[in-house]
Amino acid sequence: DTGVSQDPRHKITKRGQNVTFRCDPISEHNRLYWYRQTLGQGPEFLTYFQNEAQLEKSRLLSDRFSAERPKGSFSTLEIQRTEQGDSAMYLCASSLGMEREQFFGPGTRLTVL
Amino acid sequence: EDQVTQSPEALRLQEGESSSLNCSYTVSGLRGLFWYRQDPGKGPEFLFTLYSAGEEKEKERLKATLTKKESFLHITAPKPEDSATYLCAVRRTQGGSEKLVFGKGTKLTVNP
């Protein structure tokens, strides 16, 4: 399978704990995006990388959120001190470059108890 | 601020009953309108990109069209396997942003 992969697919955590998600983009894609989707809503942009550089961050990305893409390959999204409002599907997407379509992974479903 | 509004929120069709989904948008300098299909519990699956008014694209029973203010996704003779949520998204030129702004989607159910 050469699509975007995400790990884990599901994560249940208690309020106040830290969680980290991983995204592996399509191998030749240099752009990587993170979105968040809640029930009944479309995905909302969080941040994106061109290679290892983080070029844009949404106001949705509070100080508790941090994303990295070391060496321009896989990316991680960490949420510190999770809150119940963080419960959502976290989606990763990648694209070959500017002006190109974004291909999404299966998502990580986060539930904060 | 960029806005994308999709209608209807939900649509039920009988197998073979053709219809259209609407996506109205307000964006400063459109640099692509995208249609995705999303099945429950899965990530969005790319369908089409449209760049300029008058452009049309087709894939099997789906046809997407674009005007200066809206896009339509026409579904011809749908089958039950076409049941899914269809998402519309826009990308704009202002500020060089590459983010997509999505609508809430139209949930399509096709009954056999």
Side-chain angles (χ1 to χ4, degrees):
Chain A
D1 186 14
T2 57
V4 178
S5 62
Q6 293 187 244
D7 185 70
R9 295 293 308 279
H10 303 275
K11 179 70 177 180
I12 300 174
T13 191
K14 294 182 179 180
R15 185 164 52 93
Q17 298 295 305
N18 298 344
V19 294
T20 300
F21 310 139
R22 176 180 171 124
C23 170
D24 287 90
I26 295 171
S27 60
E28 64 269 27
H29 287 189
N30 63 350
R31 281 165 167 77
L32 186 148
Y33 310 80
W34 286 99
Y35 291 82
R36 180 172 70 184
Q37 186 176 26
T38 53
L39 198 62
Q41 303 295 314
E44 295 176 290
F45 172 80
L46 294 178
T47 188
Y48 98 90
F49 293 83
Q50 179 179 329
N51 299 313
E52 66 274 10
Q54 188 173 18
L55 296 187
E56 188 175 355
K57 293 167 62 174
S58 164
R59 286 170 292 181
L60 290 175
L61 215 64
S62 74
D63 291 345
R64 297 185 298 105
F65 288 71
S66 64
E68 294 182 341
R69 193 183 181 197
K71 302 179 182 179
S73 55
F74 70 92
S75 176
T76 58
L77 178 68
E78 180 182 16
I79 309 174
Q80 296 182 328
R81 304 181 303 281
T82 52
E83 302 173 355
Q84 287 185 326
D86 296 331
S87 295
M89 174 79 90
Y90 288 84
L91 294 163
C92 177
S94 69
S95 71
L96 192 53
M98 286 182 65
E99 308 289 341
R100 301 298 295 269
E101 55 274 11
Q102 296 176 19
F103 293 92
F104 283 81
T108 295
R109 169 75 65 188
L110 173 66
T111 302
V112 181
L113 301 177
Chain B
E1 185 175 329
D2 302 338
Q3 286 193 335
V4 178
T5 304
Q6 292 187 245
S7 62
E9 292 185 5
L11 180 63
R12 286 185 175 273
L13 300 174
Q14 288 299 122
E15 184 172 2
E17 179 186 2
S18 301
S19 188
S20 296
L21 313 182
N22 177 264
C23 171
S24 298
Y25 62 90
T26 303
V27 64
S28 299
L30 183 70
R31 206 174 90 225
L33 184 139
F34 302 82
W35 283 98
Y36 287 86
R37 169 194 170 126
Q38 187 172 30
D39 293 303
K42 297 187 177 181
E45 174 189 347
F46 171 75
L47 294 174
F48 303 110
T49 308
L50 301 166
Y51 289 102
S52 56
E55 189 174 359
E56 299 183 351
K57 288 192 176 174
E58 288 188 66
K59 179 181 180 180
E60 297 180 350
R61 295 177 293 281
L62 300 177
K63 178 181 177 180
T65 63
L66 180 65
T67 72
K68 288 186 178 180
K69 293 184 178 181
E70 56 191 355
S71 176
F72 293 94
L73 185 65
H74 308 277
I75 303 177
T76 302
K79 297 181 178 181
E81 53 262 42
D82 294 323
S83 298
T85 295
Y86 291 85
L87 295 165
C88 171
V90 297
R91 183 174 60 201
R92 59 181 169 86
T93 58
Q94 185 177 358
S97 175
E98 292 192 29
K99 71 178 183 183
L100 298 182
V101 176
F102 282 85
K104 293 183 178 182
T106 293
K107 183 176 181 180
L108 174 66
T109 303
V110 182
N111 296 314

